[in-house]
Amino acid sequence: MTSRALEQFLSGVEKRAFKIAQLGLRNDDDALDAVQDSMMKLVQSYASRSSDEWRPLFYRILANCIRDMQRRRTVRGRIMAWLPMRDAENEEDFDPIAAAPSMEPTPARRLELDEAMGVLETAVAELPQRQQQAFLLRNLEGLDVSETASAMGCSEGSVKTHYFRALATLRARLGEVF
Amino acid sequence: MSDPSDFEKRTQQVLEESAARLDGRTLSRLTQARHKALDQLQRPARHWWRSYVPAGAAAATAVLAVVMWSGRPNVEGAVTQNAVEDMELLADTDAPDFVDEGEDLEFYEWAAGEVES
């Protein structure tokens, strides 16, 4: 019973979780690793908890994985700075158009969506970490303020502040497109 | 000038569309990750000796029955030793739950440490 419920839960969140990790890490492989690690940890340590707790717990674990990867990347970057120049791909900016998903609707609609996705994803990826977390958990994942606070490990007031600031930044930047 | 709720709806729509349109390679990797995570629920017990518990419990029961009903003093020494070992294995079944709670305590200690700035 737990196994089936867990499978339903994980299959329901995996795409959005990947999206959140992708925007935080700006790398598809790292994002996949983060999602996999988070799934493993949730099942390992919290499978026996009430299913109501899984969502905030999972996103808390995911946020920690993303943060840990970002830190490792920072350390690695500092080490690499002392080595001969190489690996241009480490310096590459996130390309939202290249990362934009494939196929579907009418060509005109697709173009419109691709453009919107591209500019939105770039803007969200450049938000400060906490604002990005609050925005994606509330807006994409649909967590309420309380669940978001649990996932982020902060107060509900902080969630509202981070979310409000993220919205303000995005509106200022995307007002013309959206 | 669109109001905040319209803007939020629009951004939500775009992000959901983006999440829904992941490529095949990514979807496949996510499915594999999910299965790998769920496989942990099917695995044998983490602690190697847990696999001996059912056999140990049956053995302990049979041994105790033999001791009580046959009343053979010269068997008792060896039987008692095996019974003690089996009972230790049975008693150790509490350990994993304790370990799980320990992991939960670590999570909450960490969560308590993450104070909003």
Side-chain angles (χ1 to χ4, degrees):
Chain A
M1 192 66 83
T2 298
S3 177
R4 183 173 298 175
L6 261 174
E7 177 165 23
Q8 282 179 347
F9 169 73
L10 292 176
S11 64
V13 299
E14 62 192 23
K15 291 178 185 174
R16 293 188 300 280
F18 170 77
K19 208 65 211 169
I20 289 171
Q22 185 192 48
L23 290 168
L25 294 168
R26 304 205 199 186
N27 180 286
D28 283 10
D29 287 332
D30 285 352
L32 284 165
D33 286 345
V35 172
Q36 177 166 308
D37 287 350
S38 303
M39 289 181 173
M40 296 283 283
K41 285 176 185 173
L42 181 78
V43 173
Q44 259 174 17
S45 304
Y46 303 109
S48 58
R49 300 288 281 275
S50 162
S51 58
D52 292 340
E53 299 180 67
W54 289 342
R55 194 175 301 271
L57 278 171
F58 176 74
Y59 282 104
R60 183 70 175 278
I61 296 167
L62 182 65
N64 292 340
C65 285
I66 292 170
R67 185 197 59 212
D68 289 346
M69 282 186 170
Q70 289 169 335
R71 284 176 179 171
R72 281 200 294 273
R73 189 183 287 170
T74 300
V75 170
R76 189 166 63 234
R78 286 177 186 156
I79 293 170
M80 293 297 288
W82 290 94
L83 298 177
M85 277 298 293
R86 227 213 128 244
D87 256 21
E89 62 187 306
N90 283 343
E91 306 295 320
E92 223 171 52
D93 288 332
F94 174 68
D95 184 346
I97 302 302
S102 56
M103 17 162 247
E104 262 70 303
T106 64
R109 173 70 179 146
R110 190 192 161 198
L111 266 173
E112 184 189 326
L113 270 172
D114 282 353
E115 183 187 339
M117 276 182 211
V119 294
L120 175 61
E121 290 182 1
T122 300
V124 171
E126 292 176 0
L127 286 172
Q129 190 183 51
R130 296 297 263 176
Q131 289 181 25
Q132 186 189 92
Q133 282 177 351
F135 178 76
L136 289 171
L137 290 174
R138 294 274 291 127
N139 192 274
L140 174 59
E141 183 54 29
L143 298 185
D144 62 29
V145 173
S146 173
E147 290 170 327
T148 305
S150 177
M152 290 178 64
C154 65
S155 68
E156 293 187 15
S158 289
V159 168
K160 292 175 184 173
T161 300
H162 291 311
Y163 185 67
F164 173 79
R165 288 176 180 170
L167 270 184
T169 302
L170 292 172
R171 287 185 69 196
R173 198 165 161 177
L174 305 173
E176 297 298 322
V177 179
F178 284 75
Chain B
M1 190 80 67
S2 58
D3 63 62
S5 63
D6 283 347
F7 179 80
E8 288 174 81
K9 286 178 189 171
R10 177 71 175 136
T11 56
Q12 183 182 42
Q13 206 173 36
V14 172
L15 286 171
E16 282 179 351
E17 181 73 22
S18 178
R21 289 165 55 181
L22 296 177
D23 60 75
R25 173 185 172 271
T26 302
L27 290 174
S28 175
R29 290 276 306 269
L30 288 172
T31 300
Q32 287 173 29
R34 178 175 13 108
H35 288 164
K36 188 175 177 184
L38 291 168
D39 280 347
Q40 294 177 107
L41 294 174
Q42 310 301 328
R43 274 187 203 163
R46 279 189 301 185
H47 300 283
W48 63 270
W49 39 259
R50 286 188 69 182
S51 62
Y52 289 90
V53 168
T61 304
V63 156
L64 287 173
V66 166
V67 168
M68 289 172 66
W69 293 340
S70 67
R72 295 181 183 181
N74 44 333
V75 176
E76 192 170 338
V79 163
T80 302
Q81 180 60 35
N82 289 338
V84 167
E85 287 174 356
D86 290 337
M87 290 309 292
E88 284 176 351
L89 288 174
L90 288 171
D92 280 344
T93 54
D94 290 332
D97 291 331
F98 179 74
V99 170
D100 286 338
E101 287 174 3
E103 290 179 5
D104 286 343
L105 286 174
E106 287 175 11
F107 173 82
Y108 283 109
E109 284 171 8
W110 177 83
E114 289 287 318
V115 176
E116 159 212 357
S117 58

